[in-house]
Amino acid sequence: MVKQASSSPSSSPVTITVSSGGKGGPIRSMGLTSPVPRSSVSNNPNSPLSGRGNRGPSGGRRTSAGGRYDEEVVNSEYVTYTVHIPPTPDHNTVSASQTSLNEDDKNFGKPESSFISGTIFTGGFNSVTRGHVMECSMERKETMKSGMQCGMKGCDEKAMQGKSSRGPCECGFKICRECYLDCIGNGGGHCPGCKEPYKDVSDDDGSSYDDACSEAEDQALPLPSMADFKLDKRLSLVKSFKAPNQDFDHTRWLYETKGTYGYGNAVWPKDEYGFGSGVNGFEHPPDFAGKTRRPLTRKVVVSAAILSPYRLLVLIRLVALGFFLTWRIRNPNREAMWLWGMSITCELWFALSWLLDQLPKLCPVNRVTDLSVLKDRFESPNLRNPKGRSDLPGMDVFVSTADPEKEPPLVTANTILSILAVDYPVEKVACYLSDDGGSLLTFEALAETASFARTWVPFCRKHGIEPRNPEAYFGQKRDFLKNKVRLDFVRERRRVKREYDEFKVRINSLPESIRRRSDAYNAHEELRAKKKQMEVGGNLSEAIKVPKATWMADGSHWPGTWSSAEADHSRGDHAGIIQAMLAPPNAEPVFGAEADGENLIDSTEVDTRLPMLVYVSREKRPGYDHNKKAGAMNALVRTSAIMSNGPFILNLDCDHYIYNSLALREGMCFMLDRGGDRICYVQFPQRFEGIDPNDRYANHNTVFFDVSMRALDGLQGPMYVGTGCIFRRTALYGFSPPRATEHHGWFGRRKMKLFLRKPKVVKKEEEEMALPIIDHNDDDADIESLLLPKRFGNSNSLAASIPVAEFQGRLLQDLQGKGHHGRPAGSLAVPREPLDAATVAEAISVISSFYEDKTEWGKRVGWIYGSVTEDVVTGYRMHNRGWRSIYCVTKRDAFRGTAPINLTDRLHQVLRWATGSVEIFFSRNNALFASRRMKFLQRVAYFNVGMYPFTSLFLIVYCFLPAVSLFTGQFIVQTLNVTFLVFLLMITLTLCFLAILEIKWSGINLHEWWRNEQFWLIGGTSAHPAAVMQGLLKVIAGVDISFTLTSKSATPDEGDDEFADLYVVKWSFLMVPPITIMMVNMIAIAVGVSRTMYSTFPQWSKLAGGVFFSLWVLCHLYPFAKGLMGRRGKVPTIVFVWSGLISIIVSLLWVYISPPSGRQDYMKFQFP
């Protein structure tokens, strides 16, 4: 039986019939009608699609005719999936001619371009894959200059008429009088259109024209340069590059590129070289070989004047610690052995913790990029790319959000706008928003964002706006006219600002709008239900149960989460949703129109194309573990592989926007430079806005991002910190790097190089996952390809995209050594394959809740599951396979985000990080089990990530020791002799000098370093002990750890306090230990001073030691105490109750255990 799609012109269905059964196990076949044929479609048993490249049960190939695939089916059991897309006047079926570049240019602006962007696709487990046509605005047609206007760039004057009514030149190039005079006087008398000299000059031009012409004839004609003109769009592409069997037509190429032979042509640019400047008027041509070898990046080593003393101080402090601990062990306090034992145990652990933290900091480096070389190498005309199209690889940008209440839609919208306006080839960028809550509010906010982007993005490109986040840009407190030279800037900025204010109002009114709309539709549904009940003669007294649905603007049910949870419409139970808000752009630039009633800005000289924008909400069903953020990111990886398949992926949190529009280019410099094929990701530092000037809770975290991460960059690379990171897609897929180094012997001093792409030379390990290279003669590659479905799932489209992404992410051939794989220059300067309904339907299947079953997603492939800090584990796995990473610190911050400035929110954030570290310590991701491909110091750094929360147990004990010393009158040493004081002074001074040198080579200041020290103790006495307890409960008792989403601060309105959240006090159990430590130490200081003052034989030395260490603890806890006071000193009553009770209990217990000297009758309590 053959199931065929209807060919009626009144409908455009995509009908899929899936058959199961057979002797050889489950077999899937289908009949598919798709507007555009695809090269690879899935054969997933649970997917509604498969492709023409798939083999049928008999091993034969499917035949196609007219875009329809038919195949005989050998079983009688079928499951039919239908994607029915009815045509409307605004939405016709996609023509197969879109696969041609020339047809794209002809059909641009027609309804086909909005076919995909106007349809929302839903589907999932036991549900039909549907395509629902949405009302959307059409793509703007390309507007050209009026035929009566001057054709010179930047001129809009009326064109002058020649004798033939076609202009002064026979080619018909339109030019105004002023530009014509300029061409005659300064342009050599040549027509800007055809480059031919004007044949005659009209009499009314005057004698000055004749003089100009005669001077122009006497001068040497300048050679045209590719940078001085734009290619005529009427000329076709040179086809010889795509057909290697044809000969290259050099004459045609010279004509199309307007090049000339010899020095100065399109292949041999002048580059500011001129004749007559060399010896005897001759100048040697530039060295092209040297130019192509110019590096994209440079490593800047920290000055030896700073680094050498820094390493020496580390050695001195290590020796001093050794002598100090030896002396402490050999000289115990016989009068208080218990106090001495606790103190020496804590000190030994602190010494180990400092050593683990300090060793990875011995090799810090800085790096710089050269964007001009990137442009010359990948975006300049050359022999293989005569039109100078961008040869840069594609970039897929992931933005994740989960709850519109904690993550305001306006914040997410601003992040999306900064991505759409990024300075990267438009056709190479695709943005994906993962809405893990399936909220209609996020969906409609994204639709509004796509609409406003048509105004915002051209405005940013025209005027070079930075930053390209409208909220951040319009909120800047500086002169916005600085470095702006265009006369229309102020007028257009005012218009865009007014439009953005209206955009904010629309976004902020969406929740109320959705609620009112849903209430109206639900009331209408109740009336219909009652009317139907009356018609059938039912009992009117019975209550009618009508689900309280959430309704879309077109009067249909929202397939995601409803405000009142119902079956199939709750946060953990809803269908998968994909909506392409913005369709993929054309390959050629599209220039806008002049400012009028519909266009706020004049975009006649601005490329108005927008990157592809896709809304994704993965399917969720009860009984499946959805793995929180890591599962959402893996769903985006699979979706993007099918829809755009960019070889590089940038992931951002919804509150982290692109602050530097060149950030993507900076990161790609490292990926595309020599040796870049071994780089798995480029991590950028996190920078934050909206933090109080004093940075009370060390939210900037500069010691980690500017000290520790720079130091790791000198080893095997920085850790992945969850956002602001550019990944290589093949590294995320779990493949090993092309080359790796194994470290053997003590501290990894003996190295062994491995070439992992040559399986015949080097025997692979059992867990080795080599990337299949496109080589028809390699049997091992065929075996690896057969294993792909078991690792990545049963989607053939996904499996087919893997080698394509690997090829596009390769280095250029001239950068590779002999025997290495590379891609030819210009191979990526081709249009993207168009997006069709079959592709989106296949993408729906890979975000289903059951797709990851019996695959390696989350185990080896993609983001790793099993930890709340999936980012650190994912980066660790890549480093463990031999990849290396890069830390990219740009002159202008690459990304900026928000951080919780409230004390409670900050502590919960630290609690989540520390809990993840404890999970890492008790898992196979502990660095003790790392492979030999990880460097020794890199292993130490990862081991410290899992160890640092346990320091809190010793830190809490050590914070109570000064109070205990003051209560008892004892000290950790028997007497404060000179040896103890000298060791203590040496350890303290070396720590201070190390901090000063770290400040010098990292660029941070002393205030930031001190804030980091303070919050280290605050977090170590509050969040870290709780994390250790949670981790132990999970390991021992199997208690799962709940994930708390960090609230993102919304943009404050005008007149509101920007730091109002800083003074809000929210009670949390994490506050109990620090409050207790403060209260006990303050009471102990009072008790110790009083006892010493009124003692017959005062021991001032022990009092001084105890008071000094107590004050050291209180100074570190000062920001915590200040945060409890709030704005006006208001403290929750529960804080005083808990603190008072705990302090009283501790004091009574101590008095009972060690009563004061004298009469003790009061201790003899008896019941009456």
Side-chain angles (χ1 to χ4, degrees):
M1 176 179 179
V2 179
K3 177 71 176 181
Q4 296 183 352
S6 173
S7 59
S8 174
S10 62
S11 63
S12 176
V14 178
T15 304
I16 302 96
T17 301
V18 182
S19 67
S20 61
K23 298 178 180 180
I27 302 175
R28 295 289 186 261
S29 62
M30 68 93 180
L32 171 65
T33 299
S34 175
V36 180
R38 302 285 292 184
S39 59
S40 58
V41 187
S42 175
N43 195 27
N44 187 355
N46 300 315
S47 169
L49 302 175
S50 66
R52 59 184 173 182
N54 300 336
R55 297 184 180 272
S58 61
R61 290 284 182 179
R62 298 177 184 175
T63 60
S64 61
R68 181 174 300 171
Y69 304 92
D70 302 332
E71 182 183 9
E72 295 185 359
V73 182
V74 296
N75 197 289
S76 60
E77 297 180 1
Y78 302 97
V79 179
T80 302
Y81 296 83
T82 301
V83 180
H84 188 82
I85 304 174
T88 65
D90 295 332
H91 300 85
N92 298 323
T93 56
V94 179
S95 173
S97 62
Q98 281 186 330
T99 56
S100 170
L101 173 64
N102 295 332
E103 292 298 326
D104 279 345
D105 296 336
K106 294 179 183 179
N107 296 333
F108 176 73
K110 294 186 179 181
E112 286 85 343
S113 60
S114 62
F115 179 81
I116 295 302
S117 60
T119 306
I120 177 173
F121 291 84
T122 61
F125 182 65
N126 286 337
S127 61
V128 179
T129 303
R130 302 181 183 275
H132 178 70
V133 178
M134 303 288 296
E135 181 180 357
C136 64
S137 59
M138 301 302 299
E139 299 285 346
R140 297 183 177 181
K141 294 185 178 181
E142 180 180 6
T143 59
M144 304 297 295
K145 285 191 174 184
S146 173
M148 298 304 296
Q149 289 185 356
C150 176
M152 295 294 289
K153 182 178 179 181
C155 181
D156 55 0
E157 297 294 331
K158 184 178 180 181
M160 61 183 293
Q161 297 292 330
K163 295 180 180 180
S164 61
S165 72
R166 298 180 58 190
C169 184
E170 294 181 355
C171 70
F173 184 84
K174 301 295 183 181
I175 190 170
C176 67
R177 183 183 183 87
E178 296 295 328
C179 295
Y180 177 67
L181 294 177
D182 185 64
C183 290
I184 294 298
N186 302 322
H190 287 69
C191 172
C194 62
K195 307 301 180 184
E196 295 294 332
Y198 288 114
K199 293 186 177 181
D200 55 354
V201 180
S202 58
D203 296 334
D204 58 352
D205 290 339
S207 59
S208 60
Y209 295 0
D210 299 332
D211 297 339
C213 290
S214 61
E215 292 178 4
E217 291 176 359
D218 295 338
Q219 296 175 358
L221 297 179
L223 296 172
S225 172
M226 289 297 294
D228 296 336
F229 62 90
K230 291 184 177 179
L231 297 175
D232 193 344
K233 294 182 180 180
R234 295 173 297 175
L235 300 177
S236 62
L237 287 174
V238 179
K239 304 298 183 181
S240 59
F241 296 116
K242 297 183 179 179
N245 296 329
Q246 301 178 10
D247 294 333
F248 174 64
D249 189 352
H250 195 87
T251 305
R252 179 178 179 84
W253 175 76
L254 287 175
Y255 169 72
E256 292 191 356
T257 59
K258 297 182 177 64
T260 57
Y261 286 96
Y263 180 64
N265 64 8
V267 183
W268 197 334
K270 292 186 66 173
D271 279 348
E272 300 180 357
Y273 291 92
F275 289 101
S277 60
V279 180
N280 297 326
F282 174 77
E283 178 188 6
H284 292 282
D287 182 12
F288 289 106
K291 182 176 180 179
T292 58
R293 295 191 183 97
R294 287 169 57 192
L296 293 169
T297 62
R298 283 189 302 114
K299 182 190 294 186
V300 182
V301 184
V302 178
S303 173
I306 298 176
L307 194 56
S308 297
Y310 180 78
R311 293 172 175 172
L312 181 61
L313 280 173
V314 171
L315 180 61
I316 293 175
R317 192 167 195 269
L318 182 61
V319 173
L321 278 174
F323 282 113
F324 172 73
L325 294 174
T326 302
W327 181 86
R328 289 274 287 117
I329 294 173
R330 291 183 176 181
N331 295 272
N333 185 359
R334 305 293 181 183
E335 298 177 359
M337 290 294 293
W338 56 273
L339 184 62
W340 170 83
M342 288 192 297
S343 63
I344 194 62
T345 303
C346 295
E347 289 165 2
L348 287 171
W349 183 268
F350 293 153
L352 175 63
S353 177
W354 174 82
L355 186 62
L356 293 177
D357 181 68
Q358 197 66 47
L359 284 179
K361 297 181 181 179
L362 296 178
C363 306
V365 296
N366 297 315
R367 300 181 188 273
V368 294
T369 60
D370 193 341
L371 296 180
S372 62
V373 179
L374 183 75
K375 185 175 183 62
D376 290 342
R377 187 175 298 173
F378 294 96
E379 295 182 315
S380 297
N382 53 49
L383 186 62
R384 294 182 177 272
N385 185 16
K387 284 197 172 184
R389 286 198 178 112
S390 176
D391 195 27
L392 289 171
M395 179 78 68
D396 293 339
V397 185
F398 295 170
V399 180
S400 59
T401 183
D403 188 349
E405 296 182 359
K406 292 187 176 182
E407 299 169 332
L410 185 59
V411 175
T412 305
N414 277 275
T415 300
I416 297 296
L417 289 171
S418 69
I419 296 171
L420 298 180
V422 70
D423 189 357
Y424 200 78
V426 183
E427 66 276 11
K428 306 284 187 177
V429 179
C431 180
Y432 295 83
L433 175 66
S434 170
D435 180 17
D436 221 27
S439 172
L440 179 59
L441 174 58
T442 305
F443 178 85
E444 295 196 356
L446 189 63
E448 290 284 353
T449 304
S451 177
F452 177 70
R454 301 185 185 280
T455 300
W456 172 252
V457 173
F459 172 70
C460 293
R461 292 172 182 166
K462 180 178 181 180
H463 298 289
I465 299 301
E466 293 287 352
R468 299 189 176 182
N469 175 330
E471 186 66 36
Y473 172 70
F474 291 122
Q476 291 181 118
K477 299 178 181 179
R478 65 177 183 86
D479 184 14
F480 62 86
L481 297 176
K482 186 178 181 180
N483 300 327
K484 297 295 183 292
V485 296
R486 299 186 67 103
L487 298 179
D488 57 354
F489 170 68
V490 176
R491 179 178 66 254
E492 293 184 349
R493 183 184 186 275
R494 189 184 305 116
R495 292 177 179 176
V496 175
K497 176 65 166 62
R498 183 166 57 250
E499 182 69 17
Y500 176 66
D501 291 339
E502 295 177 0
F503 168 74
K504 287 171 56 177
V505 172
R506 293 196 299 269
I507 294 292
N508 293 329
S509 63
L510 279 177
E512 182 66 15
S513 175
I514 294 174
R515 185 189 64 79
R516 290 184 177 181
R517 179 204 310 154
S518 299
D519 290 345
Y521 276 113
N522 289 329
H524 179 68
E525 290 295 313
E526 289 181 0
L527 292 176
R528 290 181 58 185
K530 289 182 179 180
K531 183 178 179 181
K532 186 176 181 180
Q533 186 182 28
M534 294 175 61
E535 291 176 353
V536 299
N539 187 4
L540 298 179
S541 61
E542 294 181 359
I544 302 176
K545 185 178 180 182
V546 178
K548 301 294 183 181
T550 299
W551 294 78
M552 302 173 68
D554 62 346
S556 60
H557 282 178
W558 169 242
T561 302
W562 291 353
S563 55
S564 58
E566 298 285 346
D568 296 333
H569 294 283
S570 62
R571 294 186 64 88
D573 183 13
H574 63 79
I577 308 170
I578 293 180
Q579 166 71 53
M581 295 291 183
L582 296 173
N586 281 0
E588 294 292 342
V590 178
F591 298 95
E594 296 180 352
D596 53 22
E598 297 181 358
N599 304 304
L600 297 179
I601 65 173
D602 182 4
S603 56
T604 54
E605 301 177 3
V606 182
D607 186 2
T608 59
R609 293 177 301 164
L610 297 177
M612 183 170 71
L613 176 62
V614 183
Y615 172 90
V616 179
S617 180
R618 59 179 173 146
E619 182 191 20
K620 288 188 175 182
R621 299 300 179 191
Y624 290 91
D625 187 2
H626 301 108
N627 298 295
K628 305 180 178 66
K629 180 182 176 181
M633 299 304 293
N634 285 338
L636 285 185
V637 172
R638 297 191 294 271
T639 303
S640 62
I642 293 175
M643 298 184 68
S644 57
N645 199 28
F648 297 97
I649 295 173
L650 167 66
N651 88 289
L652 296 171
D653 288 343
C654 65
D655 62 326
H656 272 72
Y657 68 92
I658 298 179
Y659 187 75
N660 182 0
S661 61
L662 297 173
L664 271 63
R665 293 178 178 269
E666 299 257 11
M668 293 308 297
C669 286
F670 295 101
M671 291 292 194
L672 302 177
D673 202 5
R674 189 179 300 275
D677 54 346
R678 294 184 57 193
I679 297 175
C680 56
Y681 61 83
V682 176
Q683 177 66 59
F684 294 84
Q686 292 187 22
R687 306 300 185 199
F688 302 100
E689 294 178 334
I691 297 176
D692 59 297
N694 290 325
D695 193 14
R696 181 183 293 176
Y697 306 124
N699 288 103
H700 286 298
N701 208 2
T702 52
V703 173
F704 174 75
F705 287 113
D706 290 330
V707 178
S708 300
M709 296 287 273
R710 286 177 190 262
L712 289 176
D713 196 18
L715 302 176
Q716 201 170 337
M719 303 174 187
Y720 169 46
V721 294
T723 183
C725 185
I726 297 178
F727 282 98
R728 184 179 298 275
R729 185 180 286 270
T730 53
L732 271 177
Y733 284 158
F735 293 109
S736 298
R739 302 175 305 281
T741 303
E742 286 192 353
H743 304 272
H744 299 265
W746 287 95
F747 308 113
R749 297 181 63 181
R750 187 163 53 89
K751 300 179 181 179
M752 179 183 299
K753 292 186 178 181
L754 302 176
F755 295 92
L756 303 178
R757 298 285 172 85
K758 296 181 179 181
K760 296 180 180 180
V761 178
V762 180
K763 185 178 180 181
K764 295 182 293 185
E765 299 178 3
E766 292 182 0
E767 296 185 356
E768 192 64 48
M769 193 169 175
L771 190 63
I773 304 300
I774 303 176
D775 186 359
H776 301 288
N777 298 323
D778 193 352
D779 296 334
D780 292 342
D782 293 339
I783 296 175
E784 292 287 348
S785 300
L786 294 175
L787 295 176
L788 291 181
K790 296 182 180 179
R791 291 167 174 159
F792 299 95
N794 293 323
S795 172
N796 284 353
S797 296
L798 178 60
S801 69
I802 295 175
V804 176
E806 187 274 336
F807 173 79
Q808 294 180 355
R810 293 180 185 178
L811 305 182
L812 295 180
Q813 288 179 342
D814 57 353
L815 295 179
Q816 292 278 22
K818 185 178 180 181
H820 295 285
H821 296 277
R823 67 174 179 88
S827 58
L828 302 184
V830 293
R832 179 185 293 178
E833 188 178 2
L835 193 63
D836 57 11
T839 305
V840 183
E842 174 67 12
I844 282 286
S845 69
V846 299
I847 63 171
S848 60
S849 57
F850 57 84
Y851 183 82
E852 294 183 353
D853 290 350
K854 298 180 181 180
T855 66
E856 294 190 5
W857 286 98
K859 302 174 184 177
R860 180 189 178 96
V861 180
W863 271 258
I864 306 302
Y865 301 155
S867 175
V868 296
T869 53
E870 72 286 336
D871 45 7
V872 177
V873 177
T874 302
Y876 166 80
R877 290 289 187 90
M878 294 182 184
H879 285 143
N880 200 36
R881 287 193 287 268
W883 292 96
R884 68 152 298 133
S885 58
I886 294 293
Y887 197 54
C888 181
V889 182
T890 56
K891 187 175 182 181
R892 177 184 175 88
D893 294 343
F895 310 99
R896 283 194 177 180
T898 59
I901 61 175
N902 180 264
L903 175 60
T904 305
D905 294 339
R906 174 72 166 137
L907 290 178
H908 280 97
Q909 183 186 53
V910 175
L911 172 64
R912 188 176 74 249
W913 294 345
T915 303
S917 296
V918 176
E919 290 177 337
I920 292 173
F921 182 81
F922 289 110
S923 69
R924 57 173 295 193
N925 299 312
N926 192 316
L928 291 176
F929 310 112
S931 68
R932 292 178 176 176
R933 297 181 189 176
M934 186 178 292
K935 292 185 177 181
F936 173 75
L937 292 182
Q938 188 81 15
R939 188 179 304 188
V940 170
Y942 273 113
F943 180 73
N944 188 43
V945 168
M947 280 285 293
Y948 80 89
F950 296 95
T951 304
S952 61
L953 303 178
F954 301 91
L955 185 61
I956 289 180
V957 173
Y958 211 73
C959 288
F960 278 109
L961 285 183
V964 173
S965 176
L966 291 172
F967 279 133
T968 60
Q970 302 293 333
F971 196 53
I972 57 176
V973 293
Q974 193 161 0
T975 57
L976 291 176
N977 54 22
V978 177
T979 306
F980 175 78
L981 295 177
V982 169
F983 280 131
L984 189 63
L985 182 63
M986 183 179 298
I987 293 172
T988 305
L989 289 178
T990 52
L991 180 63
C992 294
F993 288 142
L994 283 173
I996 293 173
L997 291 178
E998 283 184 359
I999 290 171
K1000 291 288 290 182
W1001 63 256
S1002 64
I1004 65 174
N1005 54 51
L1006 187 60
H1007 177 266
E1008 293 171 334
W1009 180 87
W1010 173 238
R1011 283 289 186 234
N1012 181 80
E1013 291 295 312
Q1014 287 180 313
F1015 198 79
W1016 170 77
L1017 193 141
I1018 294 172
T1021 55
S1022 58
H1024 295 176
V1028 173
M1029 296 301 298
Q1030 286 187 359
L1032 292 175
L1033 286 175
K1034 181 179 181 180
V1035 173
I1036 298 174
V1039 178
D1040 194 14
I1041 299 173
S1042 60
F1043 177 78
T1044 303
L1045 185 66
T1046 304
S1047 299
K1048 309 298 189 299
S1049 58
T1051 304
D1053 297 330
E1054 294 184 4
D1056 295 345
D1057 188 359
E1058 184 180 2
F1059 310 115
D1061 201 33
L1062 178 68
Y1063 309 106
V1064 177
V1065 180
K1066 307 173 186 177
W1067 170 250
S1068 173
F1069 73 95
L1070 299 177
M1071 297 180 178
V1072 174
I1075 292 174
T1076 305
I1077 290 174
M1078 287 191 301
M1079 298 294 292
V1080 169
N1081 275 276
M1082 287 188 292
I1083 295 174
I1085 291 175
V1087 170
V1089 171
S1090 300
R1091 183 179 59 240
T1092 304
M1093 291 179 62
Y1094 294 101
S1095 176
T1096 307
F1097 302 100
Q1099 297 180 349
W1100 294 102
S1101 61
K1102 294 184 179 180
L1103 174 67
V1107 170
F1108 173 80
F1109 284 108
S1110 290
L1111 292 176
W1112 176 85
V1113 172
L1114 294 175
C1115 286
H1116 281 72
L1117 292 174
Y1118 172 73
F1120 179 85
K1122 193 174 181 180
L1124 290 178
M1125 295 296 127
R1127 185 188 296 273
R1128 299 180 181 86
K1130 296 181 179 180
V1131 184
T1133 306
I1134 190 66
V1135 173
F1136 291 110
V1137 173
W1138 273 94
S1139 304
L1141 288 176
I1142 294 175
S1143 300
I1144 292 172
I1145 292 173
V1146 171
S1147 301
L1148 291 177
L1149 286 175
W1150 184 257
V1151 170
Y1152 183 81
I1153 295 172
S1154 180
S1157 57
R1159 293 178 57 85
Q1160 300 184 12
D1161 295 340
Y1162 61 90
M1163 296 297 296
K1164 298 178 180 178
F1165 178 78
Q1166 296 180 354
F1167 288 98

